[in-house]
Amino acid sequence: MTINQKMEAMLQEVQNGNSVDNAIQTVLGGEVKPEAVRKEVQALLSKAAQLEEKYVGTEWHTALFQEVAEQCGGNCAEQFRQLSEWKRLSNLRNLRISESILREQGTNVEFMRQTIERAYEEEQRMAAAATPEELSALQDELVQSLPTEKESLREALREAAQEDAAPLLELLDAPRQGTPQTQEDFSVMLAAAILSERSDVSEEEAAAVAVLGANQGAGQRKLQFLWMALPVTLAAMVGNLLLTFLAAMAGLSLLSEVALLLFKGTAVGLALLSLAAAGTGVYLGAKKAAELVRDVWPRCKPYVLNAANKAKAAVLAVAGVLTGTVFRPAIRWVSQTALPVIREKVIHPLKRRLEGLLGWLKEKKDQFVQFVRDAAAPQTQETPEQTDEEPQLVYDAEDAVEGNWIFA
């Protein structure tokens, strides 16, 4: 059985009156221990609830910085290391959500992914000697990559629904109306299904993937505190697993027709999967939601474009700075000179990171030049209006004619 079939079979068992634990045993056999899985699910949900209560009224990114500082005892180097991990996860999330639209725009997605990973590796190397100024610069980059509390797929669908709003919003809000117990039960079943698929995944990892997966369509604040409840090293592992299993779960029979709506099902699948979190009744009702989303999703494209802009800005930040709507490169290649040099008139807040990446950037010169040109190209008419939070990715025309600047 596929993971989709296992989930549907377990949900059917529960609908027929069996307990969740019995449903897991009936469908998956004795290989998975429901009690152990439930313990991990409960621990994560409890920790997230405690954090949300602890930081009530505090912006999420501020809460993250405060919690990391507390966990690290104020150690600058360790804070820098952990926030670098969070930034990598956030940037890869933005890239994954917008991957298909970036490819449609002709952007080199693999180069973007490589740049994000290489920047992270260099940050980890420089962490031991990180200064408060560098920590502050890293925090600023992380804030720019994070979604706001309104940037969730559920909110995007809500805002786009318009005349279709009433029936769609009723289904989208159903998971919130489910009891904590039914939401926990769904996460336990999903974690059990994951464990049955992957012998190399721990119960803690499976529980984290299941809880995060089941809450993909929830409010952004709740989802962020669930991530925050994870140790950063576990979050890094879970981030990769989450993408793998949610891609598979987007193939649930009730989602099959919707899978093509958002660029091969990447994001709509995530949103609709969460509808099952309120219980089997909502699972069946989600079929109706799938039909409605087919009509309203094209109006949600700004959500994906926003993630694409965040991913582009993260890559540009490696080799320059964004001031207003202008990207100012911090490096140049001088004719007949092998080594790129740091531009003195552009103060790069993470200069040590850039210095460590110069050799790699030299190797990737052509790709980086093309990426900047692509990022600077005018957006399509479907692009939402730019704001201060979403700078236009263009470079300074004055720099383009100065000497042999790489971005000329």
Side-chain angles (χ1 to χ4, degrees):
M1 298 173 69
T2 66
I3 188 171
N4 309 342
Q5 293 169 332
K6 291 172 183 176
M7 282 300 297
E8 291 179 335
M10 285 188 286
L11 287 164
Q12 187 63 55
E13 288 288 331
V14 172
Q15 191 174 34
N16 291 340
N18 287 324
S19 68
V20 171
D21 288 5
N22 284 341
I24 292 173
Q25 295 289 334
T26 299
V27 176
L28 304 179
E31 296 181 5
V32 179
K33 306 299 180 184
E35 319 81 46
V37 175
R38 188 175 294 277
K39 183 178 179 180
E40 295 291 349
V41 167
Q42 290 174 338
L44 176 54
L45 290 171
S46 175
K47 177 64 173 176
Q50 290 171 13
L51 287 170
E52 192 165 6
E53 182 178 356
K54 179 179 179 180
Y55 292 107
V56 62
T58 303
E59 287 190 65
W60 184 80
H61 67 266
T62 302
L64 175 61
F65 297 159
Q66 291 178 4
E67 187 67 17
V68 168
E70 184 178 315
Q71 291 175 6
C72 298
N75 183 289
C76 186
E78 188 56 33
Q79 290 180 68
F80 190 94
R81 186 174 291 109
Q82 288 202 26
L83 292 181
S84 172
E85 292 267 14
W86 286 116
K87 184 168 69 74
R88 171 182 175 269
L89 288 172
S90 183
N91 285 332
L92 290 176
R93 168 196 175 275
N94 290 331
L95 186 62
R96 186 67 181 91
I97 288 174
S98 60
E99 182 172 333
S100 292
I101 197 168
L102 286 167
R103 293 188 188 281
E104 286 181 2
Q105 293 174 351
T107 307
N108 188 333
V109 174
E110 295 311 314
F111 171 73
M112 293 180 69
R113 185 176 289 110
Q114 290 174 21
T115 305
I116 290 169
E117 294 286 9
R118 290 300 294 261
Y120 161 75
E121 292 168 5
E122 191 59 39
E123 289 163 6
Q124 293 297 300
R125 279 191 286 268
M126 63 185 283
T131 65
E133 292 74 21
E134 289 174 330
L135 177 61
S136 177
L138 189 73
Q139 289 175 336
D140 289 342
E141 286 191 4
L142 175 54
V143 170
Q144 294 303 313
S145 73
L146 293 171
T148 67
E149 293 183 14
K150 292 184 178 180
E151 289 174 10
S152 69
L153 288 170
R154 190 171 67 84
E155 290 304 317
L157 291 169
R158 176 190 295 276
E159 292 175 5
Q162 297 176 16
E163 68 273 10
D164 306 312
L168 178 61
L169 295 182
E170 181 180 349
L171 286 165
L172 288 175
D173 286 335
R176 297 174 127 192
Q177 298 165 6
T179 67
Q181 188 60 55
T182 56
Q183 294 173 17
E184 176 187 310
D185 287 343
F186 181 81
S187 295
V188 171
M189 284 187 282
L190 180 52
I194 290 171
L195 286 170
S196 72
E197 291 285 306
R198 291 276 295 271
S199 60
D200 60 325
V201 173
S202 70
E203 291 169 344
E204 184 182 24
E205 292 166 348
V209 172
V211 171
L212 288 164
N215 283 278
Q216 284 296 308
Q220 192 62 48
R221 187 172 178 84
K222 177 180 180 180
L223 186 59
Q224 299 289 39
F225 277 106
L226 286 169
W227 275 108
M228 190 170 159
L230 298 175
V232 67
T233 51
L234 177 61
M237 173 65 72
V238 167
N240 292 328
L241 291 172
L242 185 64
L243 293 177
T244 299
F245 283 107
L246 287 181
M249 293 304 294
L252 281 167
S253 61
L254 68 92
L255 303 177
S256 58
E257 293 184 359
V258 187
L260 297 177
L261 287 179
L262 176 59
F263 316 115
K264 304 178 183 177
T266 300
V268 163
L270 309 191
L272 293 185
L273 174 60
S274 69
L275 293 173
T280 54
V282 178
Y283 176 84
L284 297 175
K287 293 180 179 179
K288 183 177 180 180
E291 297 173 358
L292 295 170
V293 172
R294 180 187 301 109
D295 297 326
V296 304
W297 174 249
R299 287 171 255 160
C300 298
K301 198 170 183 180
Y303 168 82
V304 185
L305 288 167
N306 187 40
N309 280 341
K310 288 176 183 288
K312 289 178 180 179
V315 174
L316 289 174
V318 171
V321 294
L322 282 165
T323 56
T325 60
V326 177
F327 169 63
R328 297 182 184 277
I331 59 174
R332 67 185 174 107
W333 270 258
V334 180
S335 297
Q336 320 230 330
T337 300
L339 185 67
V341 297
I342 301 291
R343 287 189 55 191
E344 293 181 0
K345 76 173 187 177
V346 175
I347 300 174
H348 197 287
L350 289 169
K351 183 176 178 180
R352 285 201 300 133
R353 182 182 66 189
L354 178 54
E355 289 173 329
L357 291 172
L358 286 181
W360 183 76
L361 286 172
K362 179 176 179 294
E363 295 175 5
K364 301 291 183 178
K365 173 184 174 182
D366 292 341
Q367 292 180 54
F368 202 90
V369 171
Q370 188 59 51
F371 171 76
V372 174
R373 287 173 176 161
D374 291 340
Q379 300 292 321
T380 66
Q381 293 181 352
E382 295 175 287
T383 304
E385 291 184 5
Q386 300 291 340
T387 68
D388 290 341
E389 288 73 33
E390 297 174 359
Q392 297 176 21
L393 302 177
V394 300
Y395 59 90
D396 195 339
E398 178 184 350
D399 291 333
V401 297
E402 184 177 348
N404 294 301
W405 298 115
I406 181 174
F407 302 100

